Amino acid sequence: MSAHPAESEALLTPSEVATLFRVDPKTVTRWAKAGKLSSIRTLGGHRRYRESEVRELLNGVPQPREGKA
Amino acid sequence: MSAHPAESEALLTPSEVATLFRVDPKTVTRWAKAGKLSSIRTLGGHRRYRESEVRELLNGVPQPREGKA
DNA sequence: TATCATTCGGGTAATTTGGGCC
DNA sequence: ACTGTCCAAATTACCCGAATGA
């Protein structure tokens, strides 16, 4: 094993996020495109999502985005 | 500034890079073969990757425009 | 020298992407 | 406006045996 602590944020695949929210992976992709969910891209173009962000959204943390101007 | 030629760049193993991107180590190998990621070979043929390059790719250096134009 | 996890290779399923439509 | 489904193409994941690394 490597002793290199390449610390980083845990990432989730589209299907994993979709399972957590009980929606289609396609819907998760739409959230990412809409900027509602930040995503990291693999070198092949596939999306990865931050586990911490997904968890907070799942926990129902009130996110200040409904600000109707 | 060091008196030594500090050409020693921190290197990462395939599994470490794979963990950072949340992909299979085989996928990282594929990226190297495709020239998307520069690799250094051990004398036995195993690949090592530059940590600095990997981190820049993770943060998104040349990020494909995802937003709508 | 021996042991064990990892990384070679290839080959084949499964997933993801993107656009369009309901 | 939002989600689910269909399609084709691209990317990624898991399978094996053999070699390398520590």
Side-chain angles (χ1 to χ4, degrees):
Chain A
M1 281 191 267
S2 311
H4 289 253
E7 67 206 61
S8 154
E9 183 77 36
L11 301 178
L12 298 176
T13 63
S15 63
E16 288 174 337
V17 178
T19 299
L20 290 172
F21 278 99
R22 281 217 166 274
V23 294
D24 240 56
K26 190 86 167 185
T27 300
V28 180
T29 299
R30 289 196 178 105
W31 293 345
K33 284 185 179 178
K36 296 180 178 179
L37 186 62
S38 59
S39 63
I40 293 176
R41 295 278 205 152
T42 67
L43 299 191
H46 285 201
R47 295 182 182 85
R48 296 284 115 101
Y49 304 94
R50 300 184 183 280
E51 183 180 24
S52 58
E53 183 177 3
V54 171
R55 285 196 187 284
E56 293 205 355
L57 291 171
L58 279 172
N59 285 335
V61 172
Q63 185 113 19
R65 74 153 50 70
E66 191 54 46
K68 187 176 182 6
Chain B
M1 29 168 101
S2 53
H4 283 281
E7 318 302 350
S8 300
E9 171 72 47
L11 299 179
L12 299 177
T13 64
S15 63
E16 288 173 336
V17 178
T19 299
L20 290 173
F21 278 96
R22 187 55 169 88
V23 294
D24 196 85
K26 234 34 173 317
T27 299
V28 180
T29 299
R30 219 174 281 115
W31 294 344
K33 286 184 180 177
K36 297 178 179 177
L37 182 63
S38 57
S39 62
I40 297 173
R41 294 276 205 153
T42 66
L43 299 186
H46 286 198
R47 295 182 180 84
R48 296 285 117 94
Y49 305 93
R50 300 185 180 281
E51 182 178 19
S52 58
E53 182 179 5
V54 171
R55 294 217 175 269
E56 294 213 349
L57 288 172
L58 266 175
N59 287 331
V61 181
Q63 217 167 37
R65 282 295 168 265
E66 181 177 323
K68 44 172 174 247

